Amino acid sequence: MKKRYLFLSLSAFVAGLFIKPSTAQAQVNLKSISVGASYWGPSLDYWNERSFLTAYNNDQGAKLNGSIMPTAALEIGLVKGLSVGGRVGFWSKSVSSSLSSGGINRTEKFTLSIIPVSLDLKYTFEKAAVAKEGEEAPKAPFLTPYIGVSVARYFVNNKFNRQVTTGTGSVDETQAGNNYGFQVLVGAERQLVKKLYLALDVRYHLGSYN
């Protein structure tokens, strides 16, 4: 499969609800289990890579815009502020068109699916809660920021379908590839209630596949 450079110039915004178990006595402990949703937009026009009909949309082709990607993650605390975790998501987008050229009618559809699986190393700037005068219990910080880096594996599947209604040349094929990539992230979390947190972060993806 021809090498294709991926998506990796747009940031992804992810918001998730974190359920934090009680802190263990040992340094290594289960820190959080989370689900979330991120907006992710690949940077390349895969439709133009696969379609032979270049006249579509005034020679522009059809763009694969960003869409919502559901995610799930697990985080394990190592030492104060430092943690590792795993994260997986599923992203899919389709473009299609009905075209006529030289008396031949064709309908094309292209679907791209990506499953990013990442191993995260994260540092959280934890600040100890301090009780104000007259308060019985200390209040948690309004926001707790964090930064991190990830090694990711991107599993990519693309499906191309062309139906020719007035001639030959129909195509229905699927290709799959995968490769490693990297991510950098920055974000913050806020405690909503006991053991329940809301987080928002921005991730920058960089990678390719064959």
Side-chain angles (χ1 to χ4, degrees), residues 90-101:
F90 178 78
W91 183 93
S92 183
K93 193 71 175 179
S94 297
V95 288
S96 62
S97 68
S98 298
L99 304 170
S100 296
S101 177

Side-chain angles (χ1 to χ4, degrees), residues 58 74 200:
N58 295 321
L74 177 72
L200 175 68

Side-chain angles (χ1 to χ4, degrees), residues 130-205:
V130 179
K132 295 182 179 180
E133 185 177 351
E135 292 181 340
E136 295 182 359
K139 289 186 177 181
F142 181 76
L143 286 177
T144 303
Y146 56 84
I147 58 174
V149 294
S150 302
V151 176
R153 188 79 168 177
Y154 295 94
F155 297 91
V156 184
N157 182 280
N158 61 58
K159 183 176 182 180
F160 181 71
N161 178 272
R162 176 190 290 127
Q163 296 294 327
V164 181
T165 58
T166 56
T168 60
S170 295
V171 174
D172 188 6
E173 62 182 35
T174 300
Q175 295 179 316
N178 62 85
N179 209 344
Y180 288 101
F182 299 94
Q183 302 172 13
V184 292
L185 62 108
V186 59
E189 63 184 36
R190 173 172 170 75
Q191 185 176 7
L192 301 179
V193 294
K194 186 178 180 179
K195 296 185 180 181
L196 187 63
Y197 290 71
L198 176 67
L200 175 68
D201 66 38
V202 180
R203 290 178 180 246
Y204 182 88
H205 300 249

Side-chain angles (χ1 to χ4, degrees), residues 96-112:
S96 62
S97 68
S98 298
L99 304 170
S100 296
S101 177
I104 298 177
N105 298 321
R106 307 179 185 183
T107 300
E108 292 189 339
K109 182 178 181 179
F110 181 76
T111 302
L112 176 67

Side-chain angles (χ1 to χ4, degrees), residues 3 11 17 28 37 48 53 80 93 120 142 156 183 199 205:
K3 188 171 183 178
S11 300
L17 290 177
V28 178
N48 286 341
L53 299 180
K80 182 177 176 60
K93 193 71 175 179
D120 301 342
F142 181 76
V156 184
Q183 302 172 13
H205 300 249

Side-chain angles (χ1 to χ4, degrees), residues 47-117:
W47 178 262
N48 286 341
E49 293 282 328
R50 296 295 298 117
S51 177
F52 296 106
L53 299 180
T54 58
Y56 177 68
N57 194 24
N58 295 321
D59 298 327
Q60 297 294 315
K63 301 294 183 181
L64 279 174
N65 297 319
S67 63
I68 300 299
M69 175 176 66
T71 60
L74 177 72
E75 186 178 353
I76 297 174
L78 299 178
V79 296
K80 182 177 176 60
L82 192 65
S83 62
V84 295
R87 184 174 183 266
V88 61
F90 178 78
W91 183 93
S92 183
K93 193 71 175 179
S94 297
V95 288
S96 62
S97 68
S98 298
L99 304 170
S100 296
S101 177
I104 298 177
N105 298 321
R106 307 179 185 183
T107 300
E108 292 189 339
K109 182 178 181 179
F110 181 76
T111 302
L112 176 67
S113 300
I114 304 172
I115 300 176
V117 181

